[in-house]
Amino acid sequence: MTIRLGYQIPNFTHPGVAVEDLFDTVATQAREAEAAGFDTVLVMDHFYQLPGLGAPENAMLEAYTTLGALASATSTIQLSTLVTGNTYRNPALLAKTVTTLDVVSRGRAILGIGAGWFEREHHDYGFEFGTFGQRFERLEEALTIIAPMLRGEQPTVEGKWYTARGAINNPRLRPTIPIMLGGAGEQKTFRLAARFADHMNIICDTAELPRKVAVLRQRCEEIGRDPATLATSFLAMGMVGETEAEAKELADSIPEDRRNRAFLGTAEQVAEQLQERVLDAGIQGICINLPRTGYRPGVVTQVAAALKPLVNPTV
């Protein structure tokens, strides 16, 4: 498993797109990403649109139903959430869900997972939110169930938060399924990534990346793991316009708290910024979303053409 060039779809509200055509726009983007050379398609695991991207009542598809449908709409591209909120599902059920996605997709599933953070969704849907520390306790305990189940083991855990009693996880297609953690926490998330993950997607301001990369290496070394075995990527918001003038218009829609994670301009200009601000900081892969223009035919292809040489110099 590798995520060197991932395409995340975070927005399902587009001008002139009716509900009955909504999934078609998602599937079209996924197929275009696959054809253009992206290696992974990712969706958010949320029930409401996120602040800064749209209103809470805007369209938001449930993640694993969407990924299951995309498994039939695509043939080679990997499929994942970025990332599953651990608090939303029983861990044994989540292991079963992602394993079924792997079978349906013929071996293309990745389990992206994090502690969960969107408090309003928890409140409105009736999920326990708890404290910051409790959410990470729950994530660690969940991973002691999920990781063995993905390997075909039958864990028995009588934990503080979760219980599993020899849970069987069949059918399975591969010996295991890759685990990706998402986040930026140096004390908790990075330690869990060093223990459990195959991949770490770092979500932070780009100025923090050199330190984050160094700390993640340190967390691996602390437990005797070779840091080279834990791949990294960065989630970038791409405000890609077909012209510089359109890109400047898109700049006004960037949320204030995400300006240091946004990349603005034409596809080629965005590629230059990603090289300088992300890859030169020691990150190996890029996950990019195009929340305003990705649904337009051809935009995903333009972005892939500009980014592929950065993560795969032989292209």
Side-chain angles (χ1 to χ4, degrees), residues 115-169:
W117 62 270
F118 197 173
E119 186 171 6
R120 179 172 175 179
E121 289 180 335
H122 290 77
H123 174 272
D124 290 8
Y125 274 69
F127 293 108
E128 182 179 356
F129 189 59
T131 66
F132 179 81
Q134 288 171 339
R135 292 196 300 280
F136 276 92
E137 283 182 11
R138 293 170 69 178
L139 177 59
E140 180 174 8
E141 196 171 286
L143 286 167
T144 66
I145 296 171
I146 294 168
M149 289 184 66
L150 296 184
R151 297 191 297 265
E153 300 170 16
Q154 300 176 26
T156 294
V157 175
E158 294 286 346
K160 178 179 178 181
W161 302 99
Y162 303 113
T163 298
R165 303 182 181 96
I168 299 172
N169 188 25

Short mmCIF file of all heavy atoms in Angstrom, two decimals, residues 115-169:
data_model
loop_
_atom_site.label_atom_id
_atom_site.label_comp_id
_atom_site.label_asym_id
_atom_site.label_seq_id
_atom_site.Cartn_x
_atom_site.Cartn_y
_atom_site.Cartn_z
N ALA A 115 -9.33 10.04 15.89
CA ALA A 115 -10.03 10.04 17.17
C ALA A 115 -11.42 10.65 17.11
O ALA A 115 -12.25 10.38 17.97
CB ALA A 115 -9.20 10.77 18.23
N GLY A 116 -11.70 11.48 16.09
CA GLY A 116 -12.98 12.18 16.01
C GLY A 116 -12.88 13.54 16.68
O GLY A 116 -12.23 13.69 17.71
N TRP A 117 -13.56 14.55 16.08
CA TRP A 117 -13.39 15.90 16.61
C TRP A 117 -14.63 16.80 16.45
O TRP A 117 -14.75 17.81 17.15
CB TRP A 117 -12.23 16.60 15.91
CG TRP A 117 -12.46 16.77 14.43
CD1 TRP A 117 -12.13 15.90 13.44
CD2 TRP A 117 -13.11 17.87 13.78
NE1 TRP A 117 -12.52 16.38 12.21
CE2 TRP A 117 -13.12 17.60 12.39
CE3 TRP A 117 -13.67 19.08 14.23
CZ2 TRP A 117 -13.68 18.48 11.45
CZ3 TRP A 117 -14.23 19.95 13.29
CH2 TRP A 117 -14.22 19.65 11.92
N PHE A 118 -15.56 16.47 15.57
CA PHE A 118 -16.65 17.39 15.24
C PHE A 118 -17.77 17.24 16.27
O PHE A 118 -18.63 16.37 16.17
CB PHE A 118 -17.15 17.09 13.82
CG PHE A 118 -17.98 18.19 13.19
CD1 PHE A 118 -18.37 18.09 11.87
CD2 PHE A 118 -18.36 19.31 13.90
CE1 PHE A 118 -19.13 19.08 11.26
CE2 PHE A 118 -19.12 20.30 13.32
CZ PHE A 118 -19.50 20.19 11.99
N GLU A 119 -17.76 18.11 17.26
CA GLU A 119 -18.65 17.94 18.41
C GLU A 119 -20.12 18.02 18.03
O GLU A 119 -20.95 17.28 18.58
CB GLU A 119 -18.33 18.98 19.47
CG GLU A 119 -19.12 18.78 20.76
CD GLU A 119 -18.65 19.67 21.89
OE1 GLU A 119 -17.78 20.55 21.66
OE2 GLU A 119 -19.16 19.51 23.02
N ARG A 120 -20.49 18.90 17.11
CA ARG A 120 -21.91 19.04 16.78
C ARG A 120 -22.49 17.75 16.23
O ARG A 120 -23.62 17.38 16.55
CB ARG A 120 -22.13 20.19 15.78
CG ARG A 120 -23.59 20.32 15.41
CD ARG A 120 -23.94 21.50 14.60
NE ARG A 120 -25.35 21.45 14.22
CZ ARG A 120 -25.96 22.39 13.50
NH1 ARG A 120 -25.30 23.46 13.10
NH2 ARG A 120 -27.23 22.25 13.18
N GLU A 121 -21.73 17.05 15.40
CA GLU A 121 -22.23 15.78 14.87
C GLU A 121 -22.51 14.81 16.01
O GLU A 121 -23.55 14.12 16.00
CB GLU A 121 -21.21 15.16 13.91
CG GLU A 121 -21.07 15.88 12.60
CD GLU A 121 -20.04 15.23 11.69
OE1 GLU A 121 -19.13 14.54 12.19
OE2 GLU A 121 -20.15 15.40 10.46
N HIS A 122 -21.62 14.73 16.97
CA HIS A 122 -21.82 13.84 18.11
C HIS A 122 -23.09 14.22 18.86
O HIS A 122 -23.91 13.37 19.22
CB HIS A 122 -20.62 13.89 19.06
CG HIS A 122 -19.39 13.28 18.50
ND1 HIS A 122 -18.59 13.90 17.55
CD2 HIS A 122 -18.78 12.08 18.75
CE1 HIS A 122 -17.57 13.12 17.24
NE2 HIS A 122 -17.65 12.02 17.97
N HIS A 123 -23.25 15.50 19.12
CA HIS A 123 -24.42 15.97 19.86
C HIS A 123 -25.70 15.65 19.12
O HIS A 123 -26.65 15.08 19.69
CB HIS A 123 -24.30 17.48 20.10
CG HIS A 123 -25.51 18.09 20.75
ND1 HIS A 123 -26.59 18.56 20.02
CD2 HIS A 123 -25.82 18.29 22.05
CE1 HIS A 123 -27.50 19.02 20.85
NE2 HIS A 123 -27.06 18.87 22.08
N ASP A 124 -25.76 16.00 17.84
CA ASP A 124 -27.00 15.87 17.08
C ASP A 124 -27.36 14.41 16.80
O ASP A 124 -28.55 14.04 16.80
CB ASP A 124 -26.90 16.62 15.76
CG ASP A 124 -26.89 18.14 15.94
OD1 ASP A 124 -26.82 18.61 17.10
OD2 ASP A 124 -26.95 18.86 14.93
N TYR A 125 -26.36 13.57 16.58
CA TYR A 125 -26.61 12.16 16.26
C TYR A 125 -26.64 11.26 17.49
O TYR A 125 -26.93 10.07 17.37
CB TYR A 125 -25.56 11.65 15.26
CG TYR A 125 -25.91 11.93 13.81
CD1 TYR A 125 -25.91 13.23 13.32
CD2 TYR A 125 -26.25 10.90 12.94
CE1 TYR A 125 -26.23 13.51 12.00
CE2 TYR A 125 -26.57 11.16 11.62
CZ TYR A 125 -26.56 12.46 11.15
OH TYR A 125 -26.88 12.72 9.84
N GLY A 126 -26.30 11.81 18.64
CA GLY A 126 -26.40 11.03 19.86
C GLY A 126 -25.18 10.18 20.17
O GLY A 126 -25.29 9.23 20.96
N PHE A 127 -24.02 10.52 19.58
CA PHE A 127 -22.79 9.81 19.91
C PHE A 127 -22.11 10.50 21.09
O PHE A 127 -22.06 11.73 21.17
CB PHE A 127 -21.82 9.81 18.73
CG PHE A 127 -22.29 8.99 17.56
CD1 PHE A 127 -22.73 9.62 16.40
CD2 PHE A 127 -22.29 7.61 17.60
CE1 PHE A 127 -23.16 8.89 15.32
CE2 PHE A 127 -22.71 6.86 16.52
CZ PHE A 127 -23.15 7.50 15.37
N GLU A 128 -21.53 9.70 21.99
CA GLU A 128 -20.80 10.28 23.11
C GLU A 128 -19.53 10.96 22.60
O GLU A 128 -18.74 10.37 21.87
CB GLU A 128 -20.43 9.19 24.12
CG GLU A 128 -19.71 9.73 25.34
CD GLU A 128 -19.37 8.63 26.34
OE1 GLU A 128 -19.76 7.47 26.11
OE2 GLU A 128 -18.70 8.96 27.34
N PHE A 129 -19.34 12.22 22.98
CA PHE A 129 -18.17 12.97 22.53
C PHE A 129 -17.02 12.83 23.53
O PHE A 129 -15.92 12.46 23.17
CB PHE A 129 -18.54 14.45 22.36
CG PHE A 129 -17.47 15.27 21.70
CD1 PHE A 129 -17.00 14.96 20.43
CD2 PHE A 129 -16.93 16.38 22.34
CE1 PHE A 129 -16.01 15.71 19.82
CE2 PHE A 129 -15.95 17.15 21.73
CZ PHE A 129 -15.49 16.82 20.48
N GLY A 130 -17.28 13.08 24.79
CA GLY A 130 -16.26 12.91 25.81
C GLY A 130 -15.18 13.97 25.72
O GLY A 130 -15.24 14.93 24.94
N THR A 131 -14.14 13.80 26.50
CA THR A 131 -13.04 14.73 26.52
C THR A 131 -12.02 14.36 25.45
O THR A 131 -12.05 13.26 24.88
CB THR A 131 -12.34 14.72 27.88
OG1 THR A 131 -11.72 13.43 28.08
CG2 THR A 131 -13.32 14.98 29.02
N PHE A 132 -11.09 15.27 25.21
CA PHE A 132 -10.00 15.01 24.26
C PHE A 132 -9.24 13.74 24.65
O PHE A 132 -9.00 12.86 23.83
CB PHE A 132 -9.08 16.23 24.25
CG PHE A 132 -7.89 16.10 23.35
CD1 PHE A 132 -8.00 16.34 21.99
CD2 PHE A 132 -6.64 15.76 23.85
CE1 PHE A 132 -6.89 16.22 21.14
CE2 PHE A 132 -5.54 15.63 23.03
CZ PHE A 132 -5.67 15.87 21.67
N GLY A 133 -8.90 13.63 25.92
CA GLY A 133 -8.16 12.45 26.38
C GLY A 133 -8.95 11.17 26.24
O GLY A 133 -8.40 10.12 25.87
N GLN A 134 -10.25 11.24 26.52
CA GLN A 134 -11.08 10.05 26.40
C GLN A 134 -11.17 9.57 24.96
O GLN A 134 -11.17 8.37 24.70
CB GLN A 134 -12.48 10.34 26.95
CG GLN A 134 -12.52 10.45 28.46
CD GLN A 134 -13.86 10.95 28.96
OE1 GLN A 134 -14.64 11.58 28.22
NE2 GLN A 134 -14.16 10.67 30.22
N ARG A 135 -11.26 10.50 24.02
CA ARG A 135 -11.35 10.09 22.62
C ARG A 135 -10.10 9.36 22.18
O ARG A 135 -10.17 8.42 21.38
CB ARG A 135 -11.63 11.30 21.72
CG ARG A 135 -13.02 11.90 21.94
CD ARG A 135 -13.45 12.81 20.83
NE ARG A 135 -12.57 13.97 20.63
CZ ARG A 135 -12.60 15.07 21.37
NH1 ARG A 135 -13.46 15.17 22.39
NH2 ARG A 135 -11.80 16.09 21.11
N PHE A 136 -8.94 9.75 22.69
CA PHE A 136 -7.72 9.04 22.32
C PHE A 136 -7.58 7.72 23.07
O PHE A 136 -7.02 6.75 22.54
CB PHE A 136 -6.51 9.94 22.52
CG PHE A 136 -6.28 10.84 21.34
CD1 PHE A 136 -6.84 12.10 21.30
CD2 PHE A 136 -5.57 10.39 20.25
CE1 PHE A 136 -6.66 12.92 20.20
CE2 PHE A 136 -5.38 11.20 19.14
CZ PHE A 136 -5.93 12.47 19.11
N GLU A 137 -8.09 7.64 24.29
CA GLU A 137 -8.16 6.35 24.97
C GLU A 137 -9.00 5.38 24.16
O GLU A 137 -8.65 4.19 23.99
CB GLU A 137 -8.78 6.51 26.36
CG GLU A 137 -7.88 7.10 27.42
CD GLU A 137 -8.59 7.16 28.76
OE1 GLU A 137 -9.69 6.55 28.88
OE2 GLU A 137 -8.08 7.81 29.68
N ARG A 138 -10.11 5.86 23.66
CA ARG A 138 -11.01 5.02 22.89
C ARG A 138 -10.36 4.58 21.57
O ARG A 138 -10.50 3.43 21.14
CB ARG A 138 -12.32 5.76 22.62
CG ARG A 138 -13.13 6.00 23.88
CD ARG A 138 -14.30 6.93 23.65
NE ARG A 138 -15.33 6.32 22.81
CZ ARG A 138 -16.47 6.93 22.49
NH1 ARG A 138 -16.71 8.15 22.94
NH2 ARG A 138 -17.35 6.31 21.75
N LEU A 139 -9.64 5.50 20.92
CA LEU A 139 -8.98 5.15 19.67
C LEU A 139 -7.93 4.06 19.90
O LEU A 139 -7.86 3.08 19.14
CB LEU A 139 -8.34 6.39 19.05
CG LEU A 139 -7.53 6.16 17.76
CD1 LEU A 139 -8.39 5.54 16.67
CD2 LEU A 139 -6.90 7.48 17.30
N GLU A 140 -7.14 4.21 20.94
CA GLU A 140 -6.11 3.20 21.21
C GLU A 140 -6.74 1.85 21.50
O GLU A 140 -6.30 0.81 20.97
CB GLU A 140 -5.25 3.64 22.39
CG GLU A 140 -4.16 2.64 22.74
CD GLU A 140 -3.22 3.15 23.82
OE1 GLU A 140 -3.51 4.20 24.42
OE2 GLU A 140 -2.20 2.46 24.08
N GLU A 141 -7.79 1.85 22.30
CA GLU A 141 -8.45 0.59 22.62
C GLU A 141 -9.11 -0.02 21.39
O GLU A 141 -9.06 -1.24 21.17
CB GLU A 141 -9.49 0.82 23.72
CG GLU A 141 -9.97 -0.43 24.40
CD GLU A 141 -10.82 -0.12 25.61
OE1 GLU A 141 -10.25 0.29 26.64
OE2 GLU A 141 -12.06 -0.28 25.52
N ALA A 142 -9.70 0.83 20.55
CA ALA A 142 -10.33 0.34 19.32
C ALA A 142 -9.30 -0.32 18.41
O ALA A 142 -9.57 -1.38 17.81
CB ALA A 142 -11.01 1.49 18.58
N LEU A 143 -8.11 0.25 18.31
CA LEU A 143 -7.09 -0.31 17.44
C LEU A 143 -6.59 -1.67 17.92
O LEU A 143 -6.16 -2.50 17.11
CB LEU A 143 -5.92 0.67 17.30
CG LEU A 143 -6.21 1.89 16.42
CD1 LEU A 143 -5.14 2.96 16.60
CD2 LEU A 143 -6.33 1.48 14.95
N THR A 144 -6.68 -1.93 19.23
CA THR A 144 -6.29 -3.26 19.73
C THR A 144 -7.29 -4.32 19.32
O THR A 144 -6.99 -5.52 19.40
CB THR A 144 -6.14 -3.26 21.26
OG1 THR A 144 -7.41 -3.04 21.88
CG2 THR A 144 -5.15 -2.21 21.74
N ILE A 145 -8.46 -3.91 18.89
CA ILE A 145 -9.46 -4.83 18.34
C ILE A 145 -9.39 -4.86 16.81
O ILE A 145 -9.38 -5.93 16.19
CB ILE A 145 -10.88 -4.42 18.79
CG1 ILE A 145 -11.02 -4.55 20.30
CG2 ILE A 145 -11.95 -5.25 18.06
CD1 ILE A 145 -12.31 -3.97 20.86
N ILE A 146 -9.32 -3.68 16.21
CA ILE A 146 -9.38 -3.57 14.75
C ILE A 146 -8.17 -4.21 14.08
O ILE A 146 -8.30 -5.01 13.14
CB ILE A 146 -9.51 -2.10 14.33
CG1 ILE A 146 -10.85 -1.52 14.80
CG2 ILE A 146 -9.37 -1.96 12.82
CD1 ILE A 146 -10.95 -0.01 14.68
N ALA A 147 -6.97 -3.86 14.53
CA ALA A 147 -5.76 -4.34 13.85
C ALA A 147 -5.69 -5.86 13.81
O ALA A 147 -5.44 -6.45 12.75
CB ALA A 147 -4.51 -3.74 14.50
N PRO A 148 -5.93 -6.58 14.93
CA PRO A 148 -5.93 -8.04 14.85
C PRO A 148 -7.02 -8.59 13.93
O PRO A 148 -6.78 -9.56 13.19
CB PRO A 148 -6.16 -8.48 16.30
CG PRO A 148 -5.72 -7.33 17.13
CD PRO A 148 -6.05 -6.11 16.33
N MET A 149 -8.21 -7.99 13.96
CA MET A 149 -9.27 -8.49 13.10
C MET A 149 -8.92 -8.34 11.62
O MET A 149 -9.28 -9.19 10.80
CB MET A 149 -10.59 -7.78 13.42
CG MET A 149 -11.20 -8.19 14.76
SD MET A 149 -12.81 -7.43 15.07
CE MET A 149 -13.82 -8.20 13.79
N LEU A 150 -8.23 -7.25 11.27
CA LEU A 150 -7.83 -7.07 9.87
C LEU A 150 -6.82 -8.13 9.45
O LEU A 150 -6.69 -8.43 8.26
CB LEU A 150 -7.25 -5.67 9.66
CG LEU A 150 -8.20 -4.49 9.88
CD1 LEU A 150 -7.52 -3.18 9.52
CD2 LEU A 150 -9.49 -4.65 9.09
N ARG A 151 -6.11 -8.71 10.42
CA ARG A 151 -5.15 -9.79 10.13
C ARG A 151 -5.77 -11.17 10.21
O ARG A 151 -5.09 -12.19 10.07
CB ARG A 151 -3.98 -9.71 11.12
CG ARG A 151 -3.16 -8.45 11.04
CD ARG A 151 -1.87 -8.57 11.86
NE ARG A 151 -2.13 -8.75 13.29
CZ ARG A 151 -2.15 -7.75 14.18
NH1 ARG A 151 -1.95 -6.50 13.78
NH2 ARG A 151 -2.36 -8.00 15.46
N GLY A 152 -7.06 -11.23 10.49
CA GLY A 152 -7.73 -12.52 10.58
C GLY A 152 -7.69 -13.15 11.95
O GLY A 152 -8.11 -14.30 12.12
N GLU A 153 -7.18 -12.42 12.92
CA GLU A 153 -7.17 -12.92 14.29
C GLU A 153 -8.53 -12.69 14.94
O GLU A 153 -9.38 -11.96 14.42
CB GLU A 153 -6.05 -12.23 15.08
CG GLU A 153 -4.67 -12.47 14.50
CD GLU A 153 -3.60 -11.59 15.13
OE1 GLU A 153 -3.85 -11.01 16.21
OE2 GLU A 153 -2.51 -11.45 14.52
N GLN A 154 -8.73 -13.32 16.09
CA GLN A 154 -10.01 -13.22 16.79
C GLN A 154 -9.77 -12.65 18.19
O GLN A 154 -9.67 -13.40 19.16
CB GLN A 154 -10.68 -14.59 16.86
CG GLN A 154 -10.98 -15.19 15.49
CD GLN A 154 -11.56 -16.59 15.58
OE1 GLN A 154 -12.18 -16.97 16.57
NE2 GLN A 154 -11.35 -17.37 14.54
N PRO A 155 -9.67 -11.33 18.29
CA PRO A 155 -9.27 -10.73 19.56
C PRO A 155 -10.36 -10.84 20.63
O PRO A 155 -11.56 -10.82 20.34
CB PRO A 155 -9.04 -9.26 19.20
CG PRO A 155 -9.95 -9.03 18.03
CD PRO A 155 -9.93 -10.31 17.25
N THR A 156 -9.90 -10.97 21.86
CA THR A 156 -10.78 -10.88 23.02
C THR A 156 -10.28 -9.71 23.86
O THR A 156 -9.14 -9.73 24.33
CB THR A 156 -10.77 -12.18 23.83
OG1 THR A 156 -11.35 -13.22 23.04
CG2 THR A 156 -11.56 -12.01 25.12
N VAL A 157 -11.11 -8.71 23.99
CA VAL A 157 -10.76 -7.49 24.72
C VAL A 157 -11.93 -7.12 25.63
O VAL A 157 -13.06 -6.99 25.16
CB VAL A 157 -10.45 -6.33 23.76
CG1 VAL A 157 -10.20 -5.03 24.54
CG2 VAL A 157 -9.25 -6.65 22.87
N GLU A 158 -11.66 -7.02 26.90
CA GLU A 158 -12.64 -6.48 27.84
C GLU A 158 -12.07 -5.14 28.32
O GLU A 158 -11.38 -5.05 29.32
CB GLU A 158 -12.84 -7.45 29.01
CG GLU A 158 -13.47 -8.77 28.63
CD GLU A 158 -14.97 -8.66 28.34
OE1 GLU A 158 -15.57 -7.62 28.69
OE2 GLU A 158 -15.53 -9.63 27.79
N GLY A 159 -12.36 -4.10 27.56
CA GLY A 159 -11.73 -2.83 27.82
C GLY A 159 -12.62 -1.86 28.58
O GLY A 159 -13.75 -2.18 28.95
N LYS A 160 -12.09 -0.69 28.78
CA LYS A 160 -12.83 0.38 29.43
C LYS A 160 -13.96 0.88 28.54
O LYS A 160 -15.03 1.24 29.01
CB LYS A 160 -11.88 1.52 29.78
CG LYS A 160 -12.55 2.73 30.43
CD LYS A 160 -11.51 3.79 30.76
CE LYS A 160 -12.18 5.04 31.36
NZ LYS A 160 -11.17 6.10 31.67
N TRP A 161 -13.70 0.87 27.23
CA TRP A 161 -14.65 1.45 26.28
C TRP A 161 -15.31 0.42 25.38
O TRP A 161 -16.44 0.60 24.95
CB TRP A 161 -13.94 2.50 25.41
CG TRP A 161 -13.31 3.60 26.19
CD1 TRP A 161 -11.99 3.71 26.54
CD2 TRP A 161 -13.96 4.73 26.76
NE1 TRP A 161 -11.78 4.85 27.28
CE2 TRP A 161 -12.98 5.50 27.42
CE3 TRP A 161 -15.28 5.18 26.77
CZ2 TRP A 161 -13.27 6.69 28.08
CZ3 TRP A 161 -15.57 6.37 27.42
CH2 TRP A 161 -14.58 7.11 28.07
N TYR A 162 -14.58 -0.65 25.04
CA TYR A 162 -15.08 -1.60 24.06
C TYR A 162 -14.87 -3.04 24.53
O TYR A 162 -13.97 -3.33 25.32
CB TYR A 162 -14.36 -1.41 22.71
CG TYR A 162 -14.47 -0.03 22.15
CD1 TYR A 162 -13.34 0.79 22.04
CD2 TYR A 162 -15.69 0.47 21.71
CE1 TYR A 162 -13.43 2.07 21.51
CE2 TYR A 162 -15.79 1.75 21.18
CZ TYR A 162 -14.66 2.55 21.09
OH TYR A 162 -14.76 3.81 20.58
N THR A 163 -15.68 -3.92 23.97
CA THR A 163 -15.58 -5.34 24.25
C THR A 163 -15.59 -6.12 22.95
O THR A 163 -16.38 -5.81 22.03
CB THR A 163 -16.75 -5.80 25.14
OG1 THR A 163 -16.69 -5.10 26.39
CG2 THR A 163 -16.69 -7.30 25.39
N ALA A 164 -14.73 -7.10 22.85
CA ALA A 164 -14.76 -8.06 21.75
C ALA A 164 -14.46 -9.43 22.33
O ALA A 164 -13.55 -9.57 23.16
CB ALA A 164 -13.74 -7.70 20.67
N ARG A 165 -15.20 -10.43 21.92
CA ARG A 165 -15.06 -11.76 22.49
C ARG A 165 -14.80 -12.77 21.37
O ARG A 165 -15.70 -13.46 20.93
CB ARG A 165 -16.31 -12.13 23.29
CG ARG A 165 -16.64 -11.12 24.40
CD ARG A 165 -17.85 -11.53 25.20
NE ARG A 165 -18.16 -10.56 26.25
CZ ARG A 165 -19.06 -9.57 26.12
NH1 ARG A 165 -19.73 -9.43 24.96
NH2 ARG A 165 -19.26 -8.73 27.10
N GLY A 166 -13.55 -12.80 20.91
CA GLY A 166 -13.21 -13.73 19.83
C GLY A 166 -13.89 -13.39 18.53
O GLY A 166 -14.32 -14.30 17.80
N ALA A 167 -13.98 -12.11 18.20
CA ALA A 167 -14.73 -11.67 17.02
C ALA A 167 -14.12 -12.23 15.74
O ALA A 167 -12.93 -12.05 15.46
CB ALA A 167 -14.75 -10.15 16.97
N ILE A 168 -14.94 -12.90 14.94
CA ILE A 168 -14.52 -13.50 13.67
C ILE A 168 -14.76 -12.50 12.54
O ILE A 168 -15.81 -11.85 12.50
CB ILE A 168 -15.29 -14.81 13.41
CG1 ILE A 168 -15.00 -15.82 14.52
CG2 ILE A 168 -14.94 -15.38 12.03
CD1 ILE A 168 -15.88 -17.06 14.45
N ASN A 169 -13.82 -12.40 11.63
CA ASN A 169 -13.92 -11.43 10.54
C ASN A 169 -13.70 -12.13 9.20
O ASN A 169 -12.61 -12.11 8.64
CB ASN A 169 -12.89 -10.32 10.74
CG ASN A 169 -13.06 -9.18 9.75
OD1 ASN A 169 -14.14 -8.96 9.23
ND2 ASN A 169 -11.99 -8.45 9.48
#
